[in-house]
Each structure stands twice: as C-alpha cells, then as structure tokens.
Amino acid sequence: MFAELDATSNFTFLTGASHPEEYVERAALLGLEALAIADVNSVAGVVRAHGAAREIARKVAERERAERDRGPMGPPRPPGVPRPRGSAAILNRPRLLPAARIVCEDGFSVTALPRDRAAWGRLCRLISAGRLRAGKGDCRLQLDDLLEWVQGMELLLHPPETPAGAEILAEREHRGDAGGWQAASRALIAAFPGQVSLVMAPRYEGHDDARLSALARCAARLRVPAVAAASPMMHHGARRKLADVLTAIRTRRRVDDLGRAALANGERRLRSEAEMRRIFRAHPRALDQVREVVGRCRFSLDELRYEYPSEATAEETATERLARLAREGLAWRYPDGAPERVRGLLAHELRLIAKLRYEPYFLTVHDIVAFARAQGILCQGRGSAANSVVCYCLGITSVSPEIGTMVFERFVSEARDEPPDIDVDFEHERREEVIQHIYARYGRHRAGLCATVIHYRGKRAIREVGRAMGLSEDTVSAISSQLWGFFSTSGLEHERLREIGLDPADRRLAQTLALIREIQGFPRHLSQHVGGFVITEGRLDELAPVENATMEERTVIPWDKDDIDTLGILKIDVLALGMLTCIRKAFDLIERHHDTRYSLATLPPEDPATYDMLCRADSLGVFQVESRAQMNFLPRMRPRRFYDLVIQVAIIRPGPIQGDMVHPFIRRRNGQEAGSFPSDALGEVLGKTLGVPLFQEQAMQIAIVGAGFDPSEADRLRRSLATFNKHGNVGEFRARFMRGMRENGYDEAFAARCFSQIEGFGSYGFPESHAASFALLVYASSWLKCHHPGIFACALLNSQPMGFYAPAQIVRDAREHGVEVRPVCINASYWDNVMEPDGRGGLALRLGFRQVRSVAQEESQWIVAARANGYPDVETVWRRAGVMPRTLQKLAEADVFASLGLARREALWAARALDGAVPLPLFAAGFEGETSVEPAVTLPPMSLGEEVVEDYVALRLSLRAHPLALLRHLLTPGMGAGASPGGSGTGGPRGGGRAIPGGMPGAG
C-alpha cells in the first residue's frame, strides 16, 4: 500500500493549483492506494475528493462486473505498449484519507489524519476553535489547542520553513538551540506517543539528498519515525504556471516580480510509487512508514451518520407528533371534510415517512414555519417534498395537493435513500428574525449555514489573472468588455481581440488568455449560502468545522450544498423573497382599510378578472411574470386556470427555450398541432403538458419509462440537470439513453429529440414542485394588482428594492389603473408609503419619506413623532424634530414643503439658513412659530422642466409630467414650438408650470 499523505488542493485558496477531484483521478491513474487531501486549517475540499473516489470505485466495479459477465475485452496488452488513457487506464480505487494541515500562528505546522470517527470530530472541533476566534477566512491556533484536541490522529510534523532548509535545523538541534519548533515538537511527541512522525518531503531544488538525510537525522534525534511525502501543490506538472499566477494574486504582485516565491520547476506534483522510490532510494524506511500510517487511518467520510434533530417530546414520539399535527392540519385545511383521495394520500405519505424515519425533518421545518407565522412573517414552502399533503396540512405550503400531479415517491423514496428537499421562502425584510430563532433554538453548536464556493468566472478571472500577468488596466478593461466573445471559438476570440486593438499573436497576451481559461472554475474563497441551514441532533462542530461568516451573528460550515448532498446531510433552505414582503404588506393594508383578512390559502380562487388582466399582459410588478419575455408570452398562453400559471412560470426559462419546447407547446395548446405519444406509458408522463417535457420531473420519468433507467441512474441524471450545477454533465448519459430507448422500441429520431429536450434542462430547468409554489405567488400578486391596484403599488413601493421596475414605473402604472398618487408631504407623509382617504369614498396613495434620497428612516420617524398638528415652516421642523439641516435640505429638494405654500427654492433657501445643531430654548430666536427677521428675497420660479428634473434627482420619479412629455411637441408632427407639453400627469396635484423654451428641461 502506497499513498500520498500531504496533498494541497485549490481549497487552500490561491495556493493549491489542482481540484481535489483531479488529485483523486490522477492518483487512480498512478496506482496510488490512498490519498490525503490536507488543506491548511480546512477540510473544505475533502468531500469533493471523497465523491470523486466513490465515483471511480463505482466505475471500476461496473467495468469489473462487465468483464466477469462477458470476459476480458480484447487480448492482453503486449509489453512496451503504452497503457490506455481514460477510465480504462485506472489501476485501482484510491481511498481518500480525510486530513487537514494545521498551521499555528507561530508557524508550527502539523498534518493531522484522524484514525477513527471520534478523532474526526476532534479535528473538526480543533479547526472550529481557531476559526471562531478569528474573522472570516482566518484561523488562530496555538500549540495548546493541538495538545487539547489531536488525540487519536496521525500527526505528521513539518520542519520549519528555514531559508537554508533542514541542514540548518539539524545543526541547531545538534547544538541544542533549535528554538521553539523543537520545544513544541517534543511537547507534542510526549503528549501523544506513537502518533507523531516527521515529514520528509523533497523541494526539488538540487539539494534534496542532503536535505532528506538531515531530516532523517532530525527524526532520529526526536525519536520519531520519518515518513515520505511528495507534498504536491498540483496533480500534474502542467499546472506550474497557474500555481505561480495564484501566488501572484495572493501576494498582490506581478508574476515577473515573484522571485523566490515562484516555483522553481513543475516537480511539486503528485507522484507514483516508482518515482517516490527513486527519490527516497536512500531512505526506504520512510516509504514503509507510509504504509503503516495508512494502515492505522481507517476513518472514511462514509462513516459520518447525520442525525436529524429529535423533535420528539416526553409525551409522544416524533412519529406520533407528526401524525397528530397532520390530522389537525387536515381538519384546518378542509373544515367541511377532506376528500377521500386526499385522506388516502396523507395516510400513504405518513407510512412512507415513518418507514424512512424522516419525521424529524418535517417536524423541524414545521417548527420553523410555526415560529414565523406566530411572528406574523409570511412564508411559503417549495421544493421536491413541499407540495405534498403532509406539508399542506402542516402549513408549510399553501398549494393544494389536488393541483399538481406529482407522485410523492418521486421525492421521498427508498430507492433514492436521501433526505427530502424543502425550501421555505420568508419575507426578505424579516428573514433575519427566523435565522436568529434557529440559532437560539438549536444553538450554534448544532446549527450553521452551508457555504457557497465562489469560483473564478468571467470578469474576475480576466481582471485578476490579467493584473498578475502584468497587463495594463486599459488592456484588462478592454478584454473584460468583450467577455461574451471569449471562451467560445478561437476564431471569434481572435477577431474580437483585433477589434479592440490587441494582437492575438502577442506571446504575453496569448499566455494570459490560456491561463484565464485554465483558472475558470477554481475556488476563490468561501461565502455563506443564501439560507441553507444544517441542523443536527448532536454537535454540528463534530460533523464539520464551524467558522464565522462576514455578516455578524452568522456561522457557517465549509461545505456547499453539493457536498452535503454527497454525504446525505439534511439541509433546510431558509430563503428571502421580496414578493412575500409585498404580499404581506398588501394583506395588512387590506385589513386596515377594508376590514378583511386574507392569506395565501384564503384568496378567492380562479378569479376570471385576474386571468383577464394576465391575458392582456398587464403584469408590471407581478411576481415571476413581469419580465418582457413573460409579458410577450402571456397573450399567447392566455392562462385561464391555476395550472396554466404553473406552466407559465416554468416554460420561459433557458432550458425549455433551448430545448425547443415553447413553440410546440403553444401550437398544441392552440389546436394547430396534435399532440402525439409514441406509447401509453410516455403519454401518462407527458399528457398534462401536451407531449412536451417542461419540468425536471418529466425528464426523469422519460428516462425511467422510456429508456429503462434504474432509480440510481435517474438520480444521477437529476443531479446533472440541477440548476447551476458546475460539475454536472448531462451529455454523458446520451449513449445510455439512446440505447435504452432503442431497446424499448422507440424511434431513433424521437429518442434524439427527447434527449435534446432533456439536455436543455442542463442550462436551467424548473421542477414542477417549485413552479406550483411560485404560481401561487403569481396568482396572489395578480389578484392584488387586479382588485386593489393602489394597495398593491403601495406595498410594492414599501418592499423595494425588488423586481424589475423602478419606483417611477410602478407609480406610472398605478396612475394608469386609476390610482390617485399624492406627493411626499411634510405634514401628511410617514416613512412608508400609505393609503389615505381620497375624499370621494376611495383611497389615494400617499408617497412616504422613504422615496426621498439620502433621508434616514430614524430621522423621518422623529419628524412624524414631533409633528402634532402640523409644521408651519421649515425652522419649526428643525426645532421640534431635531433633525440635521442637511436632512431638511434633502427634504426641501424633494419639494415636501409645498403644502406650506413654499416653493422648492424657497424651502431650500430656508433650510440652508439653518446652521448647526438645534438651539437651546432660552437661546432660540423666539417662541415657536416666530422666526428671526431676515430681509425678504425673491427667487425666480422653476419651470416645469426644471421641476421634473429635480423630482427625479430627489425622488427618482415625478408626479408632474413624464420627461418625454416635455419633448412631445418636437417628436409629434404638426405641433409647434409653442404647444403645451401636455401628456400624462401634467398639471398634477402641485400645479403645472410653464414650458421652458425649446422644450428641454433646465437645470434645477
């Protein structure tokens, strides 16, 4: 057994030059029996290596099984013939040894390899201790931390990084003055006898024989065995240039200026046993020690057993509690009695959940949702298991189970053997309350957010590699501006380079572009997931290290969603959705002004007027269907029922569009083309979408029913279809799919068309379960816009920033729907936009102080609190509310004092006359309402054009006129220069104004 015990991957950010998966694949080709990925103070990359090793083992097992079934393929390889490349060249199944290189603050360094599951937990707690006492990305560890936590690990001591190497170290030890490293080493050896070895690694600088001999003598003096390691920074020597670029980025230098920091050659790579025996020919015992270390390290990540948080109570088990809550929810959802089909589905789902022991998962999600509802936070569940009867009864989702046609086993099944997936969207303004509740309920030692790996993509790769290679800022900017022309075909790339004045034949430029391509997909750093929580029954920091995020009060684990999927770990996505904030605020406004309380589940269903509005593409501000592409499709789709909205949400996506699914569906929906099904089995799968696969679930079912995929193959296909999956490759399933369709009697052309459509989901496909949940929000926001346009616009403005449209467009759309919109007023406005009586039995929308640029919420609240019966002038606002003069100037520029009879310039003049803080009462110029005497000034009135310009500067919108109304007489034939600008909104509630000469808006 031979292994590499100290490989550094690119998850030692900006240092390692190879992916963990590349190390594993290379180790298999080189015939290594085991490989340790040991990143600095991190285990972020070990799961990816573990997954790659597992996949190689699966492929090797399949090949061996095939050879057993039909005998070896072809004659044996003659001597001297090169070994085949690719998967057929794999010699073995390398075993991953999880490890980490622990580097203390004083530079003392040890590679730690856990021998068993308990030692893995201690390694995670060791890394957590260092990470939690430092800021994001840092780790602060001392020797005392090692002495506390490294029991049960193989410890590989690294000699200090001295300029002259191990020779100086050996001489110092001989004199007894090796310093702190020797003292720390002896302390570690004394505390953990039999666990410590000294790493002997070549540096490939021409003096390795002397260096290795010095290290062997050092190990003898310390009375520990020496162990051989190549300590690679890359899987192959071809990555040397990229390694230097990463060093230049890390040290913020140019490659030309790296000096000794650059690699001397490309030898710090993964090596075979034969190469290591040649390098260590004088020290064979160090190679034998590798076998002994590997033999003692029996821990595998497969041993990690995730335990769901136990949601049982003293009175009932988790199974009993889930069943009780589901029955109570069934009575709540169906007060007149549930249909027999729904009751049967509920019983079936509960039986399957109990069989797979998933009750704690559903109960955990229910408890989080229950907390949110108790706090008045609107939420909506979605995901593979969210659109089930159980989740509907628990209140996790408001989508009725009768709407969709999903089968529960597609998401929660024995074949998949993985936890279900439920995402819960919360109001984006209040999600933090939910996150902190989770931390408080479960503790930070049991709950943490997943990580998101930030990879090199596009502009970042161009910018950082270009600077490291010494390109000028102008050149980097020019290349970055042509991003979409690069990384496609070389001819197009060369053409674009010439267009921007660059020479494609330039050696430095060509080298830079090659490195930019090579760095694509490399991890840059870890960030926090948008809301994926891992919650455990035991200590989370014994499952994975926990570290601080950049955001305060957030802690994360170093693995992303793909990693925890690989390990089968539960994740609950606690996500933020702006439209939920808007809908909740709209419901509150309806209750306040119309005394009617709505929820997502109690909105009037299948409202014809709402569908009529959508058929007209009147969907500005409506969730998911407000884009121009969706607006263009709505009149063609003409939705008349809820499931039409489910299709509408899913069909305008890159996947269905690239798979050529949109036009066939419309033709079949309009009766222009008949939907055909080559078999009854596929007809059951595609019947609801007229024979066109629109959802990811349908793609999986086509593979199972049509091509004979088994559940494990279908699951791998599903993973390759996952949105934004960076490593998935749906194309690798083509041969298997085509063969299966052919064996089941399907036409070759039909099979190719089906797979082409499935491939479209690799870009961006939508699951039916997500589409159904989103469709409910589409209907809710559409119903609000249709029946309460003013309230919807008010809630939309109060929920900004969100959506496609700016406040000016939202206000214009509301006025086109007959809503009276009133300006921001010092005596009538609040921080939020509000609805107020319009004097005619209806409601008008009053804009709030939040629309004014650079005005803080706290200051506006002081203005409202001190308003009493109203402010008579600008100075009184200053005295009563105690706001800064600068804030009053911003308010004056927004014309909020118009109701006091003050024009914009007059109010601004008065605001600028104020100086400093609010005066003490005894030193004020007079009593309230009296101002200091000042000579009267006459300020020229502003033109309409000037007013509109200043409105947009201060408020980002104007109620006076549309900017183009000022130019309409120039754009409309027959209108003279003296014609009134007119137009929508002209002569608003604050009066009109004169047209400026030439019709152009003047400066404010």
Side-chain angles (χ1 to χ4, degrees), residues 798-934:
N798 288 339
S799 303
Q800 295 296 308
M802 58 168 285
F804 282 84
Y805 298 102
Q809 295 167 295
I810 297 170
V811 168
R812 179 187 58 79
D813 182 71
R815 298 176 81 178
E816 289 179 354
H817 285 78
V819 178
E820 180 186 348
V821 183
R822 296 177 175 177
V824 186
C825 175
I826 193 66
N827 282 328
S829 291
Y830 299 84
W831 166 250
D832 278 332
N833 304 282
V834 296
M835 303 302 294
E836 61 184 26
D838 63 0
R840 300 183 298 275
L843 296 172
L845 169 57
R846 171 70 70 179
L847 298 181
F849 292 118
R850 70 183 303 146
Q851 302 303 138
V852 183
R853 287 181 184 268
S854 304
V855 172
Q857 181 176 0
E858 183 181 3
E859 291 192 309
S860 69
Q861 290 171 339
W862 278 110
I863 291 173
V864 173
R867 187 156 56 197
N869 293 325
Y871 297 110
D873 51 44
V874 176
E875 187 175 2
T876 305
V877 181
W878 179 53
R879 288 181 181 174
R880 283 193 200 167
V883 296
M884 300 298 292
R886 179 180 173 277
T887 300
L888 293 175
Q889 293 172 25
K890 292 295 181 182
L891 292 172
E893 290 171 352
D895 202 17
V896 304
F897 297 100
S899 62
L900 306 183
L902 293 174
R904 192 192 308 262
R905 284 175 173 167
E906 293 172 346
L908 184 58
W909 183 275
R912 289 185 174 175
L914 304 174
D915 185 26
V918 179
L920 295 174
L922 293 178
F923 298 95
F927 295 101
E928 186 173 298
E930 299 180 11
T931 59
S932 56
V933 178
E934 183 178 339

Side-chain angles (χ1 to χ4, degrees), residues 18 67 153 220 255 342 371 452 454 466 509 515 625 668 670 712 815 914 965:
S18 292
E67 290 178 353
M153 303 181 201
V255 171
V342 173
F371 165 79
T452 293
I454 305 302
L509 180 61
L515 289 165
V625 295
R668 295 177 186 186
N670 295 337
S712 63
R815 298 176 81 178
L914 304 174

Side-chain angles (χ1 to χ4, degrees), residues 563-581:
D563 296 332
I564 66 172
D565 281 347
T566 299
L567 298 176
I569 295 175
L570 172 151
K571 172 176 67 71
I572 300 173
D573 280 328
V574 179
L575 305 174
L577 193 60
M579 182 50 66
L580 284 173
T581 304

